Amino acid sequence: MILEGILTTTNVDSSVNIAPMGPIVDESMSRLLLRPFQTSLTFANLRRTGQGVFHVVDRVDLLARAALGPVDPLPPMSRANTVDGWILSDACRWYAVQVEHLDDSRPRAEMDCRVVESGKLRDFFGFNRARHAVLEAAILATRVNLLPLPQILAELAKLRVIVDKTGDAEEQAAFEFVERHVQNAAPRLDLVDITG
């Protein structure tokens, strides 16, 4: 199954890269198959260091910011012990990983990783319909240059109804962040105001 979360890696200048990642996992969580695009900073960092930290989170604002990045300001975090990486302080669970095999024969590389250390920081609060809607909206927003904008706008409008109905202030703000991202892409793509 694919488990959506956040991966932290270390940049060449020792700063932290925070990116969404949906590795293929099994229930044991002893191995993760990461599939970053070779054009991404995440891929470059993993190829260089062979290490990172995958996080299970329930904060959709952070997932949206990471998807549309870069994340600024950085959230609180601490250094990992067993890998050259960083642990997000507000994650539910984290998994320090070591890349054991890399297949870069396709644009989306596959990195088979072994979990070398893990931890639980707090219980997973869960996702309500609004959190799922924000996550889907963030994924849509990453595709503004790939999908027809009318399709993206129609999907965002449907998702907005769910957030308005079931979301709290955090989900509302995260959805507005996603809408602003699409709005900012609009002039480049000959699109007018999306908020109506």
Side-chain angles (χ1 to χ4, degrees):
M1 100 173 144
I2 294 174
L3 178 61
E4 300 294 343
I6 292 178
L7 185 75
T8 56
T9 56
T10 304
N11 297 322
V12 172
D13 65 1
S14 297
S15 62
V16 181
N17 179 55
I18 298 174
M21 184 63 61
I24 296 174
V25 302
D26 63 16
E27 288 186 27
S28 72
M29 292 295 290
S30 60
R31 300 196 77 78
L32 283 69
L33 182 64
L34 304 178
R35 300 171 304 144
F37 287 100
Q38 289 191 46
T39 55
S40 70
L41 182 56
T42 298
F43 172 78
N45 290 343
L46 286 168
R47 182 176 211 160
R48 190 184 74 259
T49 68
Q51 302 175 343
V53 182
F54 178 72
H55 302 82
V56 175
V57 299
D58 55 13
R59 289 197 37 218
V60 292
D61 61 322
L62 183 57
L63 280 165
R65 289 173 46 217
L68 304 175
V71 176
D72 185 31
L74 292 173
M77 60 188 104
S78 60
R79 268 218 172 266
N81 293 321
T82 55
V83 298
D84 180 17
W86 296 86
I87 299 169
L88 299 172
S89 299
D90 195 30
C92 301
R93 297 181 316 221
W94 58 269
Y95 300 87
V97 297
Q98 178 74 47
V99 176
E100 292 194 332
H101 181 262
L102 164 65
D103 177 358
D104 59 1
S105 62
R106 293 177 294 278
R108 194 167 186 175
E110 291 190 351
M111 298 177 163
D112 182 30
C113 302
R114 179 173 52 93
V115 174
V116 294
E117 186 180 12
S118 64
K120 178 181 174 184
L121 301 176
R122 63 179 178 82
D123 288 336
F124 180 74
F125 182 78
F127 273 30
N128 64 5
R129 291 181 66 213
R131 288 183 181 192
H132 281 290
V134 171
L135 179 60
E136 291 301 323
I139 292 168
L140 271 173
T142 66
R143 288 159 170 73
V144 293
N145 295 317
L146 302 173
L147 298 175
L149 277 172
Q151 178 183 344
I152 290 174
L153 297 177
E155 291 299 319
L156 283 177
K158 291 177 194 173
L159 295 169
R160 168 48 90 182
V161 172
I162 295 168
V163 173
D164 286 346
K165 254 176 141 174
T166 65
D168 63 13
E170 179 184 316
E171 286 107 23
Q172 294 284 342
F175 197 85
E176 289 165 10
F177 172 79
V178 172
E179 287 179 321
R180 279 193 305 276
H181 177 82
V182 174
Q183 178 83 29
N184 291 338
R188 296 191 322 267
L189 302 167
D190 298 324
L191 180 70
V192 292
D193 182 27
I194 68 163
T195 56

